[in-house]
Amino acid sequence: MPSVFNRLVGAATGRTTLRSPSRSNGNGSSEHRHDLVPSPLLPDGFVVPASRWIHPSVRMRELLRTEPYLFGPGIYDPLGAQQVMYHGFKAVYFSGYSFAMGHLGTTDMDLYTGSEIADAARRTVAGLRKFQLTMAVGDPDKGIPPRHLDIPPVIVDMDAGYGNIFNVQRVTELYVQAGVAAAHLEDQVLPKRCGHIGGKALVPVTEMIGKLRMMRAVADDLGNPEFVVIARTDGLSAVDAPEPARGMELAVERGLRYLDSGIPDLLWCEFPTSDREPVETFTSQIRKRFPEARFAFNWSSSFKWYRDPNPMTFAELGEMGVGFIFITLGGQHANGLGLSTLLAAMAERQEQGYIELQRQEWADGADVPTRSHHFFSGVPYHHLVGTKYDAARLGREFAEDLPSEKVV
C-alpha cells in the first residue's frame, strides 16, 4: 500500500508496494503473454505458459501495478472458476455469500467455518492448475487445438475472520498454503452479516488492526510476503460501533486508521446502493492523506444496476483509484437464471426443453466450453497422460469411436 510503513519495510520483507498504473487504456484487459514451456504433467510436445510457476500473489500484484483495474467475476466452486479462466478473465473472486448458498443453501451470516471455505478455495486453485493442463492438450482426435491459458489469481472472502486473531491465523495459513493470492477481512462483530443486510455492528479499530497484522504475519512467516491483504470496512451502514461517528465520517475514519497501520494493500468500503456520490466522496477523502491509495470495489449483485440511469463503469472506478473490482454473486445469479430457464422449459415441454438447451450450446459460432463435459473436464488429457504414465485402461485406444454428430 502507499503507506509509509510499506515503503519502509518493503525492502526488508521483499514485498512490493502497489501503485496506480502508469498507463490507462480504460479496459483493464492489456495482453501479457508469457513464454510457453513444457511440463512433466503434459505429454511430450505440449506446453503451458511459464506463468504457471509465478506465485499467484506475485501475479496479482503485477496485474494491479500494470492494469487500469483488475476485474474478478464472483464464483463459488472450481467449475465456475474454470469458466472464468476459459473466457480470459485475469482474476477470480471466491464469494463468501455465494459459497454459503452453494455449500449450505443458506445466507451470508457466518454459518460456515473458515476451514470449510478454505478447503473450497484450495480445491478451486487446484482445479485451475489442472484446467490449464487439460486446455493445453485440447482434443487432438476431434481437431480441437490447445489453448494456452494463464491461471488467474484467486481472491477469497475471509468474512470477519471466523473468531479471534488465532482463528485468523489458522485461516490465513490455510489460504496461503492453498495458493490463494489475496483475501479480504471486514471489521464487523461476529456473527457477521452480508454488507447489504441491516443491523451491522463493528469491532474496535484495534481489534481489526490486530487481525490484519496477524494476516500479514502469517503470510510473511510462510514465505509469501506478496500475499495481498484487503481491509474492508462496513462503517458506512453500521448501526453500532465503539466510535461516536456514524455514516461516511465513520467509514473514512476507519479507512484511514487501517491504512495508517501500513498493513492493507487495498481498502474496501461496502456501500449500500449503487449511487456514485458516496464512492467519489470516500475515495477522495482517503486520498487526501494517502494519494496513492488503491481500493477494492464490490459492483454488487444486491443493486439493481439496470435501473440506475448512470451506472458507474469499471473504467470510471479505475480512475478513482479502484484497483480490484468484483461482482460477488455474479456466478450465482447466472447459474440461477440458466438452471431456472432449463427447469421451466422442461416442466412445460419435457425433453424438448433440454433439446433446446443443446441447440443453443451447439449453435454455429457459440463458444460454450462446457457443452462437451468430456472435453471441459479433461478426458483427452487423461487419456494422453495415462498412456505416458502407463495407467491401466487409459489411452486413446480405449476411447470408443463414436460419430461426433451423435455424441459430445
Side-chain angles (χ1 to χ4, degrees), residues 13-16 57 61 216 219-220 222-228 265:
T13 64
R15 186 180 311 127
T16 55
S57 295
R61 286 178 178 272
R216 179 61 72 205
D220 287 351
L222 291 173
N224 182 15
E226 303 287 352
F227 189 75
V228 177
D265 298 295

Side-chain angles (χ1 to χ4, degrees), residues 33-341:
R33 179 167 294 281
H34 294 285
D35 293 335
L36 299 177
V37 296
S39 164
L41 296 178
L42 287 172
D44 293 341
F46 292 94
V47 292
V48 290
S51 60
R52 179 177 179 83
W53 293 281
I54 297 177
H55 194 282
S57 295
V58 174
R59 181 158 175 76
M60 181 174 177
R61 286 178 178 272
E62 176 187 359
L63 291 166
L64 287 169
R65 287 194 301 269
T66 58
E67 299 287 334
Y69 57 84
L70 182 61
F71 174 68
I75 55 84
Y76 54 95
D77 60 11
L79 177 62
Q82 289 169 338
Q83 293 178 76
V84 170
M85 178 173 166
Y86 178 89
H87 287 288
F89 289 95
K90 297 186 178 182
V92 169
Y93 176 69
F94 197 101
S95 161
Y97 200 147
S98 295
F99 179 69
M101 296 178 72
H103 179 62
L104 294 178
T106 188
T107 191
D108 187 20
M109 289 190 178
D110 257 2
L111 297 175
Y112 56 82
T113 64
S115 58
E116 286 176 290
I117 191 171
D119 182 65
R122 175 191 59 80
R123 289 184 284 105
T124 297
V125 173
L128 293 177
R129 292 186 63 81
K130 181 65 173 294
F131 189 65
Q132 185 184 59
L133 298 173
T134 62
M135 290 294 103
V137 166
D139 190 345
D141 290 338
K142 294 186 177 180
I144 299 177
R147 291 174 68 101
H148 300 119
L149 302 174
D150 287 316
I151 300 172
V154 178
I155 297 91
V156 185
D157 193 343
M158 198 189 280
D159 294 304
Y162 313 106
N164 62 21
I165 58 168
F166 298 107
N167 299 91
V168 172
Q169 180 183 23
R170 182 189 181 202
V171 176
T172 304
E173 180 174 313
L174 293 172
Y175 281 6
V176 172
Q177 291 176 334
V180 167
H184 63 76
L185 184 75
E186 58 204 67
D187 56 4
Q188 288 193 50
V189 301
L190 297 169
K192 57 87 61 173
R193 304 185 185 200
C194 164
H196 302 114
I197 296 177
K200 295 181 294 180
L202 306 188
V203 298
V205 169
T206 52
E207 181 177 342
M208 174 64 172
I209 292 176
K211 290 181 176 182
L212 292 171
R213 289 168 57 203
M214 178 59 79
M215 288 179 70
R216 179 61 72 205
V218 170
D220 287 351
D221 180 69
L222 291 173
N224 182 15
E226 303 287 352
F227 189 75
V228 177
V229 174
I230 304 171
R232 166 175 147 178
T233 181
D234 284 81
L236 190 58
S237 301
V239 298
D240 189 16
E243 304 94 322
R246 291 293 182 270
M248 182 61 71
E249 182 183 355
L250 177 59
V252 170
E253 180 182 335
R254 285 282 176 132
L256 293 174
R257 291 287 301 275
Y258 300 157
L259 294 185
D260 276 335
S261 75
I263 302 298
D265 298 295
L266 298 169
L267 179 64
W268 168 13
C269 177
E270 188 71 300
F271 297 94
T273 70
S274 65
D275 295 344
R276 67 175 55 229
E277 188 275 332
V279 182
E280 293 171 342
T281 298
F282 180 81
T283 55
S284 63
Q285 289 295 314
I286 294 294
R287 282 196 149 188
K288 285 182 180 179
R289 188 187 300 178
F290 295 93
E292 296 180 359
R294 304 296 300 282
F295 304 95
F297 182 80
N298 178 14
W299 209 88
S300 176
S301 310
S302 294
F303 308 150
K304 291 184 177 178
W305 293 96
Y306 71 96
R307 289 187 173 178
D308 192 321
N310 185 27
M312 285 180 290
T313 68
F314 295 172
E316 288 174 325
L317 289 165
E319 292 171 357
M320 294 182 204
V322 175
F324 177 53
I325 304 169
F326 48 104
I327 301 179
T328 44
L329 285 89
Q332 183 273 328
H333 280 275
N335 289 343
L337 173 62
L339 183 56
S340 293
T341 300

